[in-house]
Amino acid sequence: MLLLEFNGQRIMSLKICCRRMAAAAAALTLASLPLPGAEQVGLIKIDGAIGPATATYISRAIDQAAADHDQCLIIQLDTPGGLLDSTHLIVEKLFTDAVPTVVYVAPSGACAASAGTFITMAADIAAMAPDTSIGAAHPVSLTGGAGENEPTNGVMREKLENYGSSFINNIASKRHRNIEWAESAVSQSACTNAAAALQLNVIDLIAPDLPGLLQQLDGREAAGKILRTAGARLVEIPMSAREKVFQMLWRPEVMFILMLIAMYGIIAELSHPGAIFPGVVGAIALVLSLYMSAVLPINVAGLVLVLVAMGLFITDVYAPTHGVLTVGGLAAFFIGSLMLFDRDSAFSLSLTLIVPATVLTGLFVLLVIGAGLRAQRLPVKSGPETLIGQTTAALTPIDRHGGQVFVDGALWRAVSQTPVAQGEWAEIVGRNGLTLNVKPKS
């Protein structure tokens, strides 16, 4: 009886434990289910030119929003344009419909120019804040060319325009937006504000801020899904450390500074052979700048002028031109820097950077040339030339036929136009092979 009672208590304890475990599992299951009003919306903010780092960031954010089962991904956009390759990658990712995407041109005063126009129109839902603009998607700006200064013939421009028109036509057709206006944004650089864009069916809605945008998105259909965004929680997806570094470095200003470091390092190494460190730093900076030039829109004419300036600087270090080549090099450097990037595109150099860089380059070259000239004026400190100017006692009588002196630990044959008696002091005034020219020391 005691054993049965004991077994019974044990069985009852096991039943109680199973019930508690089942209750805990049910509670966890209910907690994991989405509750009413607990929907989540992903958010990223793009501010600046569109480049490789931007394309990687947007692509990763779309995948993360899809994995988190977000209602949609909002891309807050403010850009002057960017690169064609990066724009292509972004548009292709937006077309996958992995998660409903909303491009929101904000805040007030922001713009979606050039590449931004393509990206905005490619989203499932296009929205803008009041007092924002969209357009000016000419293919020259889109590809990062050099505008009017670039030696591109008319046939190439026409090809670029046709390609840009076809590209944006496909985007507008897929998203059921205004095709005519989209083509005019490419061919005529048409640009419009938020209110006109809504009337022209370029965008879908105007929202003053993010909470207002969520309210207007609620109930809309996008990517085959009815959005439930009213009261949803906004979760910003930050840039990764790698994306931040590339976004910061992949800029024309950084490439320009790398070019300066490369130029300074090479000039310093050539003017002071054997220094090693300037040459190594210059070589590394040169490789990095060449790597960046493969992606950034470079004007070949501007790059050639910068290289010509570098050649003139190096030549002036060795040639006695009294700085004439340096002046010409500075002029070539300044003009080449202005032409290096298109000033009307998303990637351009500011005069606030070019002017100080030109002044600094001039001072650096003058410093190097001055150091070289000072080194040339220094007295010789080694070799036979160091004998000139020394005085020594004549070991034998010295005349025009010859004699002997002892100097620097060696016997030398010496001649003198004015006879020098044995034991008198003689000054060395020249050397002809192994014969020293001397004169009496007064």
Side-chain angles (χ1 to χ4, degrees), residues 384-416:
E385 286 76 11
T386 59
L387 298 174
I388 309 300
Q390 292 192 36
T391 57
T392 182
L395 294 179
T396 65
I398 303 174
D399 54 21
R400 67 183 62 183
H401 300 292
Q404 285 187 334
V405 294
F406 185 83
V407 61
D408 280 353
L411 284 173
W412 289 79
R413 182 176 180 272
V415 295
S416 176

PDB file of all heavy atoms in Angstrom, residues 384-416:
ATOM      1  N   PRO A 384      88.151  63.522 -53.754  1.00  0.00           N
ATOM      2  CA  PRO A 384      89.332  64.365 -54.027  1.00  0.00           C
ATOM      3  C   PRO A 384      89.024  65.846 -54.019  1.00  0.00           C
ATOM      4  O   PRO A 384      89.916  66.671 -53.782  1.00  0.00           O
ATOM      5  CB  PRO A 384      89.781  63.899 -55.419  1.00  0.00           C
ATOM      6  CG  PRO A 384      89.194  62.525 -55.576  1.00  0.00           C
ATOM      7  CD  PRO A 384      87.917  62.549 -54.840  1.00  0.00           C
ATOM      8  N   GLU A 385      87.768  66.236 -54.304  1.00  0.00           N
ATOM      9  CA  GLU A 385      87.445  67.662 -54.351  1.00  0.00           C
ATOM     10  C   GLU A 385      87.614  68.332 -52.990  1.00  0.00           C
ATOM     11  O   GLU A 385      87.735  69.561 -52.899  1.00  0.00           O
ATOM     12  CB  GLU A 385      86.014  67.856 -54.849  1.00  0.00           C
ATOM     13  CG  GLU A 385      85.822  67.623 -56.337  1.00  0.00           C
ATOM     14  CD  GLU A 385      85.827  66.139 -56.690  1.00  0.00           C
ATOM     15  OE1 GLU A 385      85.774  65.312 -55.750  1.00  0.00           O
ATOM     16  OE2 GLU A 385      85.902  65.809 -57.880  1.00  0.00           O
ATOM     17  N   THR A 386      87.632  67.537 -51.927  1.00  0.00           N
ATOM     18  CA  THR A 386      87.803  68.138 -50.598  1.00  0.00           C
ATOM     19  C   THR A 386      89.205  68.684 -50.380  1.00  0.00           C
ATOM     20  O   THR A 386      89.451  69.421 -49.417  1.00  0.00           O
ATOM     21  CB  THR A 386      87.493  67.085 -49.516  1.00  0.00           C
ATOM     22  OG1 THR A 386      88.374  65.966 -49.673  1.00  0.00           O
ATOM     23  CG2 THR A 386      86.065  66.599 -49.607  1.00  0.00           C
ATOM     24  N   LEU A 387      90.162  68.342 -51.267  1.00  0.00           N
ATOM     25  CA  LEU A 387      91.531  68.850 -51.136  1.00  0.00           C
ATOM     26  C   LEU A 387      91.619  70.330 -51.464  1.00  0.00           C
ATOM     27  O   LEU A 387      92.522  71.028 -50.978  1.00  0.00           O
ATOM     28  CB  LEU A 387      92.467  68.061 -52.051  1.00  0.00           C
ATOM     29  CG  LEU A 387      92.599  66.545 -51.758  1.00  0.00           C
ATOM     30  CD1 LEU A 387      93.437  65.881 -52.836  1.00  0.00           C
ATOM     31  CD2 LEU A 387      93.214  66.335 -50.381  1.00  0.00           C
ATOM     32  N   ILE A 388      90.696  70.810 -52.313  1.00  0.00           N
ATOM     33  CA  ILE A 388      90.748  72.202 -52.747  1.00  0.00           C
ATOM     34  C   ILE A 388      90.582  73.104 -51.538  1.00  0.00           C
ATOM     35  O   ILE A 388      89.643  72.955 -50.754  1.00  0.00           O
ATOM     36  CB  ILE A 388      89.681  72.493 -53.807  1.00  0.00           C
ATOM     37  CG1 ILE A 388      89.725  71.475 -54.945  1.00  0.00           C
ATOM     38  CG2 ILE A 388      89.804  73.912 -54.326  1.00  0.00           C
ATOM     39  CD1 ILE A 388      91.043  71.441 -55.675  1.00  0.00           C
ATOM     40  N   GLY A 389      91.507  74.047 -51.395  1.00  0.00           N
ATOM     41  CA  GLY A 389      91.438  75.003 -50.305  1.00  0.00           C
ATOM     42  C   GLY A 389      92.290  74.638 -49.107  1.00  0.00           C
ATOM     43  O   GLY A 389      92.498  75.474 -48.207  1.00  0.00           O
ATOM     44  N   GLN A 390      92.786  73.405 -49.051  1.00  0.00           N
ATOM     45  CA  GLN A 390      93.622  73.008 -47.929  1.00  0.00           C
ATOM     46  C   GLN A 390      95.040  73.569 -48.096  1.00  0.00           C
ATOM     47  O   GLN A 390      95.488  73.869 -49.202  1.00  0.00           O
ATOM     48  CB  GLN A 390      93.680  71.479 -47.815  1.00  0.00           C
ATOM     49  CG  GLN A 390      92.359  70.838 -47.406  1.00  0.00           C
ATOM     50  CD  GLN A 390      92.547  69.383 -47.022  1.00  0.00           C
ATOM     51  OE1 GLN A 390      93.579  69.012 -46.431  1.00  0.00           O
ATOM     52  NE2 GLN A 390      91.558  68.548 -47.359  1.00  0.00           N
ATOM     53  N   THR A 391      95.730  73.697 -46.985  1.00  0.00           N
ATOM     54  CA  THR A 391      97.135  74.152 -47.000  1.00  0.00           C
ATOM     55  C   THR A 391      98.024  73.049 -46.449  1.00  0.00           C
ATOM     56  O   THR A 391      97.624  72.291 -45.547  1.00  0.00           O
ATOM     57  CB  THR A 391      97.305  75.415 -46.141  1.00  0.00           C
ATOM     58  OG1 THR A 391      96.849  75.137 -44.817  1.00  0.00           O
ATOM     59  CG2 THR A 391      96.525  76.584 -46.730  1.00  0.00           C
ATOM     60  N   THR A 392      99.191  72.957 -46.973  1.00  0.00           N
ATOM     61  CA  THR A 392     100.154  71.932 -46.543  1.00  0.00           C
ATOM     62  C   THR A 392     101.569  72.431 -46.780  1.00  0.00           C
ATOM     63  O   THR A 392     101.804  73.328 -47.602  1.00  0.00           O
ATOM     64  CB  THR A 392      99.907  70.609 -47.315  1.00  0.00           C
ATOM     65  OG1 THR A 392     100.827  69.621 -46.826  1.00  0.00           O
ATOM     66  CG2 THR A 392     100.123  70.793 -48.795  1.00  0.00           C
ATOM     67  N   ALA A 393     102.526  71.825 -46.074  1.00  0.00           N
ATOM     68  CA  ALA A 393     103.932  72.212 -46.223  1.00  0.00           C
ATOM     69  C   ALA A 393     104.543  71.469 -47.403  1.00  0.00           C
ATOM     70  O   ALA A 393     104.246  70.291 -47.634  1.00  0.00           O
ATOM     71  CB  ALA A 393     104.704  71.903 -44.951  1.00  0.00           C
ATOM     72  N   ALA A 394     105.384  72.149 -48.175  1.00  0.00           N
ATOM     73  CA  ALA A 394     106.035  71.541 -49.340  1.00  0.00           C
ATOM     74  C   ALA A 394     107.137  70.615 -48.867  1.00  0.00           C
ATOM     75  O   ALA A 394     108.018  71.013 -48.092  1.00  0.00           O
ATOM     76  CB  ALA A 394     106.582  72.618 -50.261  1.00  0.00           C
ATOM     77  N   LEU A 395     107.102  69.360 -49.291  1.00  0.00           N
ATOM     78  CA  LEU A 395     108.148  68.402 -48.927  1.00  0.00           C
ATOM     79  C   LEU A 395     109.420  68.650 -49.719  1.00  0.00           C
ATOM     80  O   LEU A 395     110.529  68.359 -49.248  1.00  0.00           O
ATOM     81  CB  LEU A 395     107.657  66.967 -49.151  1.00  0.00           C
ATOM     82  CG  LEU A 395     106.505  66.503 -48.242  1.00  0.00           C
ATOM     83  CD1 LEU A 395     106.126  65.070 -48.596  1.00  0.00           C
ATOM     84  CD2 LEU A 395     106.897  66.596 -46.776  1.00  0.00           C
ATOM     85  N   THR A 396     109.243  69.148 -50.940  1.00  0.00           N
ATOM     86  CA  THR A 396     110.371  69.472 -51.821  1.00  0.00           C
ATOM     87  C   THR A 396     110.089  70.819 -52.447  1.00  0.00           C
ATOM     88  O   THR A 396     108.953  71.311 -52.405  1.00  0.00           O
ATOM     89  CB  THR A 396     110.520  68.402 -52.924  1.00  0.00           C
ATOM     90  OG1 THR A 396     109.366  68.434 -53.767  1.00  0.00           O
ATOM     91  CG2 THR A 396     110.691  67.003 -52.330  1.00  0.00           C
ATOM     92  N   PRO A 397     111.085  71.431 -53.032  1.00  0.00           N
ATOM     93  CA  PRO A 397     110.779  72.673 -53.773  1.00  0.00           C
ATOM     94  C   PRO A 397     109.750  72.377 -54.873  1.00  0.00           C
ATOM     95  O   PRO A 397     109.805  71.340 -55.543  1.00  0.00           O
ATOM     96  CB  PRO A 397     112.138  73.073 -54.348  1.00  0.00           C
ATOM     97  CG  PRO A 397     113.139  72.445 -53.440  1.00  0.00           C
ATOM     98  CD  PRO A 397     112.544  71.145 -53.012  1.00  0.00           C
ATOM     99  N   ILE A 398     108.823  73.321 -55.058  1.00  0.00           N
ATOM    100  CA  ILE A 398     107.751  73.125 -56.038  1.00  0.00           C
ATOM    101  C   ILE A 398     107.810  74.263 -57.049  1.00  0.00           C
ATOM    102  O   ILE A 398     107.842  75.448 -56.671  1.00  0.00           O
ATOM    103  CB  ILE A 398     106.368  73.088 -55.373  1.00  0.00           C
ATOM    104  CG1 ILE A 398     106.306  71.992 -54.294  1.00  0.00           C
ATOM    105  CG2 ILE A 398     105.265  72.856 -56.410  1.00  0.00           C
ATOM    106  CD1 ILE A 398     105.028  71.994 -53.496  1.00  0.00           C
ATOM    107  N   ASP A 399     107.862  73.932 -58.329  1.00  0.00           N
ATOM    108  CA  ASP A 399     107.774  74.925 -59.396  1.00  0.00           C
ATOM    109  C   ASP A 399     106.879  74.355 -60.479  1.00  0.00           C
ATOM    110  O   ASP A 399     106.169  73.368 -60.261  1.00  0.00           O
ATOM    111  CB  ASP A 399     109.163  75.279 -59.913  1.00  0.00           C
ATOM    112  CG  ASP A 399     109.951  74.039 -60.349  1.00  0.00           C
ATOM    113  OD1 ASP A 399     109.302  72.994 -60.635  1.00  0.00           O
ATOM    114  OD2 ASP A 399     111.181  74.108 -60.414  1.00  0.00           O
ATOM    115  N   ARG A 400     106.982  74.956 -61.677  1.00  0.00           N
ATOM    116  CA  ARG A 400     106.101  74.505 -62.760  1.00  0.00           C
ATOM    117  C   ARG A 400     106.440  73.105 -63.250  1.00  0.00           C
ATOM    118  O   ARG A 400     105.630  72.469 -63.921  1.00  0.00           O
ATOM    119  CB  ARG A 400     106.173  75.498 -63.918  1.00  0.00           C
ATOM    120  CG  ARG A 400     107.517  75.535 -64.614  1.00  0.00           C
ATOM    121  CD  ARG A 400     107.535  76.595 -65.690  1.00  0.00           C
ATOM    122  NE  ARG A 400     107.321  77.923 -65.111  1.00  0.00           N
ATOM    123  CZ  ARG A 400     107.230  79.022 -65.850  1.00  0.00           C
ATOM    124  NH1 ARG A 400     107.307  78.955 -67.168  1.00  0.00           N
ATOM    125  NH2 ARG A 400     107.056  80.185 -65.261  1.00  0.00           N
ATOM    126  N   HIS A 401     107.646  72.618 -62.879  1.00  0.00           N
ATOM    127  CA  HIS A 401     108.038  71.272 -63.307  1.00  0.00           C
ATOM    128  C   HIS A 401     107.604  70.207 -62.305  1.00  0.00           C
ATOM    129  O   HIS A 401     107.612  69.022 -62.616  1.00  0.00           O
ATOM    130  CB  HIS A 401     109.552  71.207 -63.510  1.00  0.00           C
ATOM    131  CG  HIS A 401     110.030  72.166 -64.549  1.00  0.00           C
ATOM    132  ND1 HIS A 401     109.735  72.040 -65.877  1.00  0.00           N
ATOM    133  CD2 HIS A 401     110.789  73.292 -64.423  1.00  0.00           C
ATOM    134  CE1 HIS A 401     110.285  73.038 -66.553  1.00  0.00           C
ATOM    135  NE2 HIS A 401     110.945  73.823 -65.698  1.00  0.00           N
ATOM    136  N   GLY A 402     107.246  70.622 -61.107  1.00  0.00           N
ATOM    137  CA  GLY A 402     106.733  69.661 -60.156  1.00  0.00           C
ATOM    138  C   GLY A 402     107.446  69.663 -58.835  1.00  0.00           C
ATOM    139  O   GLY A 402     108.506  70.283 -58.653  1.00  0.00           O
ATOM    140  N   GLY A 403     106.855  68.973 -57.880  1.00  0.00           N
ATOM    141  CA  GLY A 403     107.381  68.807 -56.541  1.00  0.00           C
ATOM    142  C   GLY A 403     106.466  67.852 -55.784  1.00  0.00           C
ATOM    143  O   GLY A 403     105.614  67.186 -56.391  1.00  0.00           O
ATOM    144  N   GLN A 404     106.605  67.787 -54.481  1.00  0.00           N
ATOM    145  CA  GLN A 404     105.793  66.879 -53.696  1.00  0.00           C
ATOM    146  C   GLN A 404     105.224  67.562 -52.460  1.00  0.00           C
ATOM    147  O   GLN A 404     105.889  68.417 -51.863  1.00  0.00           O
ATOM    148  CB  GLN A 404     106.597  65.648 -53.274  1.00  0.00           C
ATOM    149  CG  GLN A 404     106.847  64.640 -54.386  1.00  0.00           C
ATOM    150  CD  GLN A 404     107.486  63.373 -53.870  1.00  0.00           C
ATOM    151  OE1 GLN A 404     108.172  63.384 -52.841  1.00  0.00           O
ATOM    152  NE2 GLN A 404     107.289  62.270 -54.580  1.00  0.00           N
ATOM    153  N   VAL A 405     103.973  67.140 -52.107  1.00  0.00           N
ATOM    154  CA  VAL A 405     103.338  67.562 -50.861  1.00  0.00           C
ATOM    155  C   VAL A 405     102.723  66.339 -50.212  1.00  0.00           C
ATOM    156  O   VAL A 405     102.415  65.334 -50.877  1.00  0.00           O
ATOM    157  CB  VAL A 405     102.254  68.642 -51.101  1.00  0.00           C
ATOM    158  CG1 VAL A 405     102.879  69.926 -51.614  1.00  0.00           C
ATOM    159  CG2 VAL A 405     101.175  68.138 -52.036  1.00  0.00           C
ATOM    160  N   PHE A 406     102.508  66.432 -48.897  1.00  0.00           N
ATOM    161  CA  PHE A 406     101.848  65.350 -48.162  1.00  0.00           C
ATOM    162  C   PHE A 406     100.542  65.906 -47.602  1.00  0.00           C
ATOM    163  O   PHE A 406     100.572  66.852 -46.802  1.00  0.00           O
ATOM    164  CB  PHE A 406     102.770  64.862 -47.043  1.00  0.00           C
ATOM    165  CG  PHE A 406     102.233  63.669 -46.311  1.00  0.00           C
ATOM    166  CD1 PHE A 406     102.411  62.382 -46.824  1.00  0.00           C
ATOM    167  CD2 PHE A 406     101.548  63.827 -45.116  1.00  0.00           C
ATOM    168  CE1 PHE A 406     101.920  61.287 -46.142  1.00  0.00           C
ATOM    169  CE2 PHE A 406     101.047  62.724 -44.442  1.00  0.00           C
ATOM    170  CZ  PHE A 406     101.226  61.447 -44.955  1.00  0.00           C
ATOM    171  N   VAL A 407      99.459  65.328 -48.036  1.00  0.00           N
ATOM    172  CA  VAL A 407      98.151  65.818 -47.595  1.00  0.00           C
ATOM    173  C   VAL A 407      97.183  64.640 -47.492  1.00  0.00           C
ATOM    174  O   VAL A 407      97.200  63.716 -48.315  1.00  0.00           O
ATOM    175  CB  VAL A 407      97.605  66.899 -48.561  1.00  0.00           C
ATOM    176  CG1 VAL A 407      97.423  66.340 -49.960  1.00  0.00           C
ATOM    177  CG2 VAL A 407      96.297  67.480 -48.050  1.00  0.00           C
ATOM    178  N   ASP A 408      96.342  64.665 -46.448  1.00  0.00           N
ATOM    179  CA  ASP A 408      95.344  63.616 -46.203  1.00  0.00           C
ATOM    180  C   ASP A 408      95.946  62.226 -46.204  1.00  0.00           C
ATOM    181  O   ASP A 408      95.403  61.264 -46.745  1.00  0.00           O
ATOM    182  CB  ASP A 408      94.211  63.684 -47.233  1.00  0.00           C
ATOM    183  CG  ASP A 408      93.194  64.765 -46.901  1.00  0.00           C
ATOM    184  OD1 ASP A 408      93.315  65.362 -45.800  1.00  0.00           O
ATOM    185  OD2 ASP A 408      92.294  65.012 -47.727  1.00  0.00           O
ATOM    186  N   GLY A 409      97.149  62.122 -45.641  1.00  0.00           N
ATOM    187  CA  GLY A 409      97.764  60.817 -45.480  1.00  0.00           C
ATOM    188  C   GLY A 409      98.360  60.242 -46.734  1.00  0.00           C
ATOM    189  O   GLY A 409      98.643  59.035 -46.784  1.00  0.00           O
ATOM    190  N   ALA A 410      98.573  61.046 -47.791  1.00  0.00           N
ATOM    191  CA  ALA A 410      99.129  60.519 -49.044  1.00  0.00           C
ATOM    192  C   ALA A 410     100.069  61.541 -49.657  1.00  0.00           C
ATOM    193  O   ALA A 410      99.951  62.755 -49.439  1.00  0.00           O
ATOM    194  CB  ALA A 410      98.007  60.180 -50.015  1.00  0.00           C
ATOM    195  N   LEU A 411     101.085  61.034 -50.427  1.00  0.00           N
ATOM    196  CA  LEU A 411     101.990  61.891 -51.173  1.00  0.00           C
ATOM    197  C   LEU A 411     101.355  62.256 -52.511  1.00  0.00           C
ATOM    198  O   LEU A 411     100.817  61.397 -53.220  1.00  0.00           O
ATOM    199  CB  LEU A 411     103.324  61.167 -51.404  1.00  0.00           C
ATOM    200  CG  LEU A 411     104.273  61.064 -50.204  1.00  0.00           C
ATOM    201  CD1 LEU A 411     105.456  60.168 -50.551  1.00  0.00           C
ATOM    202  CD2 LEU A 411     104.745  62.460 -49.781  1.00  0.00           C
ATOM    203  N   TRP A 412     101.431  63.543 -52.867  1.00  0.00           N
ATOM    204  CA  TRP A 412     100.867  64.012 -54.124  1.00  0.00           C
ATOM    205  C   TRP A 412     101.952  64.771 -54.889  1.00  0.00           C
ATOM    206  O   TRP A 412     102.794  65.460 -54.306  1.00  0.00           O
ATOM    207  CB  TRP A 412      99.678  64.957 -53.882  1.00  0.00           C
ATOM    208  CG  TRP A 412      98.451  64.278 -53.358  1.00  0.00           C
ATOM    209  CD1 TRP A 412      98.204  63.885 -52.088  1.00  0.00           C
ATOM    210  CD2 TRP A 412      97.304  63.929 -54.123  1.00  0.00           C
ATOM    211  NE1 TRP A 412      96.980  63.304 -51.976  1.00  0.00           N
ATOM    212  CE2 TRP A 412      96.378  63.317 -53.226  1.00  0.00           C
ATOM    213  CE3 TRP A 412      96.936  64.057 -55.459  1.00  0.00           C
ATOM    214  CZ2 TRP A 412      95.140  62.853 -53.632  1.00  0.00           C
ATOM    215  CZ3 TRP A 412      95.696  63.595 -55.872  1.00  0.00           C
ATOM    216  CH2 TRP A 412      94.814  62.987 -54.967  1.00  0.00           C
ATOM    217  N   ARG A 413     101.917  64.648 -56.209  1.00  0.00           N
ATOM    218  CA  ARG A 413     102.749  65.483 -57.057  1.00  0.00           C
ATOM    219  C   ARG A 413     102.104  66.847 -57.149  1.00  0.00           C
ATOM    220  O   ARG A 413     100.882  66.948 -57.327  1.00  0.00           O
ATOM    221  CB  ARG A 413     102.897  64.870 -58.440  1.00  0.00           C
ATOM    222  CG  ARG A 413     103.806  65.671 -59.378  1.00  0.00           C
ATOM    223  CD  ARG A 413     103.984  64.963 -60.705  1.00  0.00           C
ATOM    224  NE  ARG A 413     104.848  65.731 -61.599  1.00  0.00           N
ATOM    225  CZ  ARG A 413     104.414  66.678 -62.435  1.00  0.00           C
ATOM    226  NH1 ARG A 413     103.120  66.948 -62.498  1.00  0.00           N
ATOM    227  NH2 ARG A 413     105.289  67.331 -63.197  1.00  0.00           N
ATOM    228  N   ALA A 414     102.861  67.901 -57.037  1.00  0.00           N
ATOM    229  CA  ALA A 414     102.311  69.249 -57.049  1.00  0.00           C
ATOM    230  C   ALA A 414     103.115  70.126 -57.996  1.00  0.00           C
ATOM    231  O   ALA A 414     104.329  69.969 -58.152  1.00  0.00           O
ATOM    232  CB  ALA A 414     102.340  69.840 -55.646  1.00  0.00           C
ATOM    233  N   VAL A 415     102.412  71.065 -58.657  1.00  0.00           N
ATOM    234  CA  VAL A 415     103.051  72.048 -59.534  1.00  0.00           C
ATOM    235  C   VAL A 415     102.559  73.422 -59.127  1.00  0.00           C
ATOM    236  O   VAL A 415     101.452  73.579 -58.590  1.00  0.00           O
ATOM    237  CB  VAL A 415     102.705  71.783 -61.022  1.00  0.00           C
ATOM    238  CG1 VAL A 415     103.290  70.458 -61.482  1.00  0.00           C
ATOM    239  CG2 VAL A 415     101.207  71.817 -61.255  1.00  0.00           C
ATOM    240  N   SER A 416     103.405  74.426 -59.373  1.00  0.00           N
ATOM    241  CA  SER A 416     103.039  75.798 -59.020  1.00  0.00           C
ATOM    242  C   SER A 416     103.664  76.762 -60.008  1.00  0.00           C
ATOM    243  O   SER A 416     104.847  76.610 -60.374  1.00  0.00           O
ATOM    244  CB  SER A 416     103.513  76.124 -57.595  1.00  0.00           C
ATOM    245  OG  SER A 416     103.243  77.479 -57.284  1.00  0.00           O
TER     246      SER A 416
END
